[in-house]
Amino acid sequence: MAPGNESEWAKINEEEARQEAEFAASLSMDERVTFGQKLSQQGVSLLVASVKAGHAPRRALWS
């Protein structure tokens, strides 16, 4: 969206926040742990890919 559409962005952000809250509330504790582990694994995979592509220093994997 072009600059000047802040009210539209606010509506979009509110809707996303509402959907995320509903999703989080619908999960059991075990599901939350599993989901968190999945997100962590995705984060590590992204970091490894960034290092391999040369966009992050190799030492980033060990810090």
Side-chain angles (χ1 to χ4, degrees), residues 8-38:
E8 187 66 24
W9 277 114
K11 289 178 189 174
I12 292 169
N13 291 336
E14 287 174 10
E15 177 63 18
E16 287 180 355
R18 185 189 62 75
Q19 289 176 358
E20 289 175 8
E22 287 176 1
F23 173 71
S26 72
L27 296 177
S28 69
M29 189 54 68
D30 287 339
E31 291 170 326
R32 288 177 190 218
V33 170
T34 301
F35 188 69
Q37 289 173 334
K38 178 183 172 186

Side-chain angles (χ1 to χ4, degrees), residues 26-57:
S26 72
L27 296 177
S28 69
M29 189 54 68
D30 287 339
E31 291 170 326
R32 288 177 190 218
V33 170
T34 301
F35 188 69
Q37 289 173 334
K38 178 183 172 186
L39 291 176
S40 294
Q41 290 170 349
Q42 289 176 345
V44 170
S45 295
L46 179 61
L47 177 58
V48 169
S50 295
V51 169
K52 286 182 179 179
H55 300 296

